[in-house]
Amino acid sequence: MKRPNPSDFAVSQHLAALAHERYEVGITLPPKPGEDDERMMIRRWSAQEVERSMGFLKAQNARGSHVYIRPEGEHAYTFVDDLSLARIAEMKAAGFPPALVLESSPNNYQAWVAHGATLEKDVSTAVAKSLAERFGGDPSSADWRHFGRLAGFTNRKPKHQQQDGRYPFVKVIEAEGRIAPGSAELIAQVRTELSHQRALDAERRASYRPAPVSADRSLKSIDDFRNSGSYGGDHHRADLAYATYALKQGIPVAEVESALRSRDLSHKGNSRRQSDYVDRTIEKAQGRGPSR
């Protein structure tokens, strides 16, 4: 009897543990000439199509590409990155046993927590941030549609290359597909916090008034920056540019803060994280914060 290929079996375990209808598979590509950043080729496949595409994915991986996966569309899972086994044990004890645990690089783990019901995007992101903060996961990976590595393929980061030139495989550690019993309480709590935050944000936006016009010239409003094509729709850059400009014009910090809060910041997380974003933006505009 022919033994199953280990990589194929790992992929089957991965897909069975999540049991989502469709996936987005991301394959990194080399940067374009003159550019530094890798590109991402995305394929939208069913589980069966993923398994039928193993030859293609293995060839890409062998050429140096990373292979990632995430559920397509809104979904019922939370991805938590950069975990230790001790942290995963804490998750289990707290009522959040992962449906899938991967060793993404030696002694470093990724977990997918199943909630049993599809979450709206803002709720999904808030739950991801909550779990990452609680269990020491990577906060920059905590959002509703983050990619995780696909089991059965090698992690091609140069720092993981072994002495013999090979790279470590992404391994399935657990693939039980279980629903976390602590999910219902956490999701209810997050929805309550988001509802409260939306109400506060609505009050702030309603109370926001543009800065007064000086006697000799009109001052630009934050909307002038957000609507400018110079920032390509990047509200982070537009907010920082406005704050830098407004403070130089002598607009009080309190008015700048009010202007920054005039858009919906719920995607940043809870009220504390939103305040942190506003504070960091003002500090950078004053030249006191680290630039990114």
Side-chain angles (χ1 to χ4, degrees):
M1 181 177 178
K2 185 178 179 181
R3 297 180 62 183
N5 181 283
S7 294
D8 295 354
F9 183 61
V11 169
S12 295
Q13 285 183 296
H14 188 136
L15 298 173
L18 296 187
H20 194 65
E21 185 175 352
R22 295 186 61 81
Y23 297 90
E24 291 184 338
V25 177
I27 305 106
T28 59
L29 299 174
K32 291 182 177 179
E35 297 183 1
D36 296 326
D37 295 335
E38 288 183 324
R39 296 168 291 152
M40 182 81 83
M41 177 198 310
I42 295 180
R43 294 290 182 265
R44 294 171 176 84
W45 289 329
S46 66
Q48 294 75 21
E49 289 171 324
V50 174
E51 294 186 291
R52 287 199 297 267
S53 303
M54 287 295 293
F56 166 74
L57 295 175
K58 288 177 182 178
Q60 294 296 319
N61 192 217
R63 294 188 186 107
S65 294
H66 297 278
V67 182
Y68 300 101
I69 194 168
R70 66 188 177 195
E72 184 180 12
E74 293 184 338
H75 52 82
Y77 311 93
T78 294
F79 174 70
V80 190
D81 197 11
D82 282 345
L83 294 168
S84 65
L85 289 178
R87 287 295 201 172
I88 291 172
E90 290 178 18
M91 292 175 68
K92 294 176 182 178
F96 298 99
L100 175 68
V101 177
L102 305 174
E103 186 177 33
S104 56
S105 60
N107 300 312
N108 192 63
Y109 301 87
Q110 296 180 342
W112 288 91
V113 177
H115 303 295
T118 299
L119 304 181
E120 309 93 301
K121 296 173 185 177
D122 58 343
V123 174
S124 185
T125 291
V127 168
K129 291 183 181 298
S130 177
L131 291 177
E133 181 177 28
R134 183 171 177 181
F135 298 109
D138 180 6
S140 66
S141 300
D143 61 67
W144 76 274
R145 65 193 310 266
H146 207 84
F147 275 110
R149 290 190 178 273
L150 180 55
F153 295 90
T154 54
N155 184 329
R156 304 287 299 198
K157 286 186 177 179
K159 67 179 180 180
H160 297 314
Q161 188 173 19
Q162 301 162 353
Q163 290 184 348
D164 60 5
R166 294 184 297 178
Y167 294 86
F169 279 88
V170 178
K171 301 174 183 176
V172 174
I173 304 302
E174 298 179 16
E176 299 187 13
R178 53 192 164 186
I179 295 173
S183 292
E185 182 178 353
L186 175 60
I187 292 168
Q189 176 185 339
V190 163
R191 286 198 170 113
T192 299
E193 290 176 354
L194 287 175
S195 178
H196 177 65
Q197 190 59 51
R198 289 190 197 102
L200 289 177
D201 289 343
E203 290 179 9
R204 291 191 182 106
R205 288 194 293 272
S207 63
Y208 168 65
R209 297 292 182 272
V213 177
S214 65
D216 57 339
R217 60 194 172 97
S218 298
L219 293 176
K220 295 180 181 179
S221 72
I222 195 167
D223 290 332
D224 292 327
F225 287 81
R226 288 174 178 166
N227 295 330
S228 171
S230 301
Y231 305 103
D234 186 337
H235 287 325
H236 291 195
R237 293 174 56 212
D239 284 355
L240 178 57
Y242 166 76
T244 303
Y245 162 82
L247 293 172
K248 286 182 178 178
Q249 302 305 315
I251 296 176
V253 171
E255 290 188 22
V256 176
E257 178 180 348
S258 177
L260 293 173
R261 292 182 179 275
S262 64
R263 70 180 173 99
D264 184 3
L265 297 178
S266 60
H267 63 285
K268 299 291 182 185
N270 59 28
S271 58
R272 179 173 63 81
R273 291 195 182 93
Q274 294 177 40
S275 295
D276 286 345
Y277 167 75
V278 172
D279 292 343
R280 286 196 307 270
T281 302
I282 290 175
E283 287 175 1
K284 289 179 185 178
Q286 293 171 326
R288 296 190 290 114
S291 62
R292 288 201 256 181

